[in-house]
């Protein structure tokens, strides 16, 4: 492994992701109590979800640029500081207006976690390890989804909803202490990094010597490879959010589950997601070590993930029992994470460090845009069951995979146009 500092750093980013999901899910878990106290209803909750997602979409692009300008260390510090203050301030809410404002600041700041992770991976890992590092980071989302409901419910029972928001807000402040202590500089200047690990990180494999071009946003959008990231995320990310946002309601409306039964079943699919995060990252790295070109390994993993998702989505449309449904959804989320881990490494595969956060953020914005479309379609398409929305998800999966093949180019990284070479 040639040292372990880079793995400590990605583990801290993964832990931040766990906290991110606990914070964002806290309102959903405690909504019955919160809504009663502030006089809100289900329509108000739907509005809050939309407000959060729009803010999250804007935050992806905003923080992508922030990370490129102020660096990974301070970028993460700003992101998690703002979102921790935002979730803690939920304890002060007495009206829907203030809650909506806090969902805006929470959505914008939580979005920074994703372009920040891609940026950190680009700086600290050679291409053959980036997807695995991304998998460790993304497994934090699955773990957060698994632990958030029981943890928040337990704190609510002990403390009430206002104090619970304060407690989960403190988690982010605690995370800042090791982050600011450990992440002092990028690899080239970090005093703790051994020469062996520094050389290992600098080994770019088939990307050697080409990744120095750092285009601005306008130049990025002229490259078809950028659109491979944007379009593939637009089509694929809604699959993840379909189950993150609607799984409890699906179980309730389809199988008549109460809160206790939802708690017993709803965590199962995210175990599949966690395994897919790690497995998809390992797969492309193993292929690169066997001599595959970086982009070929990424595309193979994305295609495999899509091939897993598509039939599982169609089978879920006909699932007759809750056990078969959650196991099939676990397969879907496994395939999704195999694919998305490798798509999320593409900004660092294609471009130099100065542009990675920017294009990762734009891709994240496209992902949320696609998710908003499906979010608005769910109530319309599920009036007589959830089969239509699962079929729609099965249709858009190959569109995401095909877009990567058509727009992704034949090699990585992207070289500067001749007109940009001085």
């Amino acid at each position: 492994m040639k040292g372990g500092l880079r793995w400590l750093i990605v583990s801290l980013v993964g832990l931040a992701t766990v906290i991110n999901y606990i914070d964002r899910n806290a309102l959903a878990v405690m909504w019955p109590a919160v809504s009663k106290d502030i006089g809100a209803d289900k329509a108000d909750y739907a509005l809050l979800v939309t407000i959060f997602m729009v803010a999250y979409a804007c935050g992806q692009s905003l923080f992508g640029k922030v990370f490129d300008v102020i660096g990974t260390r301070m970028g993460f510090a700003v992101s998690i500081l703002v979102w921790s203050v935002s979730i803690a301030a939920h304890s002060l809410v007495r009206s829907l207006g203030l809650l909506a404002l806090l969902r805006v600041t929470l959505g914008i700041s939580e979005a920074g976690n994703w372009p920040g992770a891609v940026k950190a991976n680009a700086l600290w890992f050679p291409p053959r390890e980036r997807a695995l590092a991304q998998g460790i980071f993304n497994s934090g989302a699955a773990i957060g989804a698994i632990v958030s409901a029981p943890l928040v419910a337990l704190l609510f029972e002990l403390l009430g909803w206002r104090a619970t928001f304060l407690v989960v807000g403190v988690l982010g402040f605690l995370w800042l202490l090791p982050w600011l202590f450990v992440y002092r500089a990028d690899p080239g200047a970090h005093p703790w990094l051994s020469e062996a690990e520094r050389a290992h990180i600098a080994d770019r494999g088939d990307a050697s010597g080409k990744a120095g071009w750092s285009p601005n946003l306008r130049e990025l959008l002229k490259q078809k490879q950028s659109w491979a990231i944007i379009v593939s995320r637009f089509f694929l990310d809604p699959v993840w959010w379909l189950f993150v946002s609607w799984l409890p309601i699906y179980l309730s409306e389809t199988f008549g589950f109460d809160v206790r039964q939802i708690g017993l079943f709803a965590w199962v699919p995210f175990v599949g997601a966690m395994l897919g995060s790690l497995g998809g990252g390992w797969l492309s790295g193993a292929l690169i070590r066997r001599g595959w070109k970086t982009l070929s390994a990424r595309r193979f993993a994305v295609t495999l993930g899509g091939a897993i998702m598509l039939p599982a989505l169609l089978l879920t449309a006909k699932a007759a029992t809750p056990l078969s449904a959650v196991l099939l959804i676990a397969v879907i989320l496994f395939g999704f994470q195999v694919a998305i881990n490798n798509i999320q490494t593409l900004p660092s595969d294609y471009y130099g460090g100065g542009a990675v956060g920017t294009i990762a953020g734009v891709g994240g914005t496209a992902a949320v845009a696609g998710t908003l479309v499906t979010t608005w379609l769910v109530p319309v398409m599920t009036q007589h069951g959830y089969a239509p929305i699962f079929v729609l998800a099965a249709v858009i999966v190959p569109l995401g995979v095909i877009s990567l093949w058509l727009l992704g180019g034949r090699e990585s990284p992207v070289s500067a146009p001749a007109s940009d070479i001085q």
Side-chain angles (χ1 to χ4, degrees):
M1 285 295 195
K2 299 181 177 63
L5 182 59
R6 66 193 186 281
W7 298 109
L8 174 59
I9 286 170
V10 78
S11 296
L12 282 172
V13 176
L15 180 59
T17 312
V18 174
I19 297 171
N20 188 295
Y21 263 73
I22 292 171
D23 288 0
R24 77 172 60 178
N25 290 341
L27 179 63
V29 175
M30 299 188 292
W31 178 249
V34 175
S35 61
K36 181 179 178 181
D37 285 355
I38 68 172
D41 58 21
K42 186 177 179 180
D44 295 324
Y45 179 73
L47 175 63
L48 291 171
V49 171
T50 301
I51 288 171
F52 176 86
M53 294 302 295
V54 171
Y56 191 76
C58 297
Q60 289 271 351
S61 293
L62 172 64
F63 267 96
K65 187 63 178 177
V66 166
F67 273 89
D68 283 339
V69 172
I70 69 174
T72 311
R73 183 173 187 261
M74 293 310 300
F76 262 113
V78 171
S79 175
I80 203 164
L81 179 64
V82 174
W83 99 51
S84 297
V85 170
S86 297
I87 196 64
H90 279 52
S91 64
L92 305 174
V93 164
R94 300 189 182 277
S95 68
L96 187 65
L98 177 57
L99 183 55
L101 176 61
L102 291 173
R103 297 312 280 183
V104 170
T105 57
L106 183 70
I108 290 173
S109 53
E110 282 205 334
N113 199 57
W114 272 259
V118 175
K119 178 87 170 180
N121 288 349
L123 292 169
W124 283 89
F125 291 88
R128 62 185 177 276
E129 291 181 344
R130 283 180 193 154
L132 178 57
Q134 193 72 26
I136 293 171
F137 151 68
N138 270 339
S139 67
I143 295 170
I146 291 169
V147 305
S148 59
L151 175 63
V152 171
L154 175 62
L155 290 172
F156 171 75
E157 290 295 327
L158 295 174
L159 305 172
W161 67 267
R162 294 188 185 276
T164 297
F165 280 125
L166 283 174
V167 171
V168 297
V170 169
L171 295 176
F173 291 100
L174 294 177
W175 179 90
L176 275 173
L177 299 177
W179 175 255
L180 294 175
F181 181 69
V182 171
Y183 202 115
R184 298 192 202 172
D186 293 337
H190 201 296
W192 298 1
L193 199 63
S194 69
E195 290 303 319
E197 188 171 12
R198 199 187 314 275
H200 179 76
I201 292 169
D203 181 8
R204 296 301 177 191
D206 64 5
S208 179
K210 296 182 181 179
W213 184 46
S214 298
N216 59 34
L217 179 59
R218 185 178 67 177
E219 292 168 332
L220 284 170
L221 295 180
K222 292 179 181 179
Q223 307 300 315
K224 66 179 184 179
Q225 289 88 345
S226 298
W227 288 100
I229 297 168
I230 293 168
V231 177
S232 61
R233 293 209 62 187
F234 178 85
F235 283 120
L236 290 179
D237 273 74
V239 176
W240 171 258
W241 286 101
L242 175 64
F243 296 105
V244 169
S245 300
W246 295 97
L247 178 59
I249 299 173
Y250 162 70
L251 292 173
S252 175
E253 294 182 351
T254 305
F255 301 108
F257 275 21
D258 58 23
V259 174
R260 177 179 173 275
Q261 290 170 310
I262 289 171
L264 290 173
F265 277 78
W267 61 271
V268 174
F270 296 99
V271 175
M274 180 177 64
L275 296 175
S277 295
L278 299 174
W282 170 85
L283 174 62
S284 62
L287 293 175
I288 293 170
R289 287 190 294 272
R290 288 175 176 267
W292 285 46
K293 294 290 188 181
T294 299
L295 184 58
S296 297
R298 305 287 192 239
R299 280 196 298 216
F300 177 83
V302 172
T303 305
L304 177 63
I308 293 170
M309 279 188 280
L310 194 154
L313 280 161
L314 294 175
L315 289 172
T316 304
K318 297 183 177 182
T321 66
L323 180 60
S324 63
V326 296
L327 290 176
L328 283 166
I329 295 169
V331 174
I332 295 166
L333 297 187
F334 176 90
F336 172 81
Q337 288 294 346
V338 169
I340 204 67
N341 272 303
N342 285 277
I343 292 174
Q344 287 177 336
T345 64
L346 290 175
S348 54
D349 294 331
Y350 284 141
Y351 298 109
V356 170
T358 300
I359 191 58
V362 174
T365 298
V368 178
T371 299
L372 284 173
V373 174
T374 56
T375 297
W376 296 328
L377 287 175
V378 168
V380 177
M381 297 182 69
T382 59
Q383 294 179 10
H384 303 289
Y386 280 73
I389 198 69
F390 293 148
V391 172
L392 174 63
V395 169
I396 63 177
V397 163
L399 296 179
V401 174
I402 291 169
S403 66
L404 180 59
W405 281 90
L406 292 179
L407 300 171
R410 295 185 178 181
E411 63 178 20
S412 58
V414 180
S415 299
S419 60
D420 289 351
I421 299 174
Q422 301 299 321

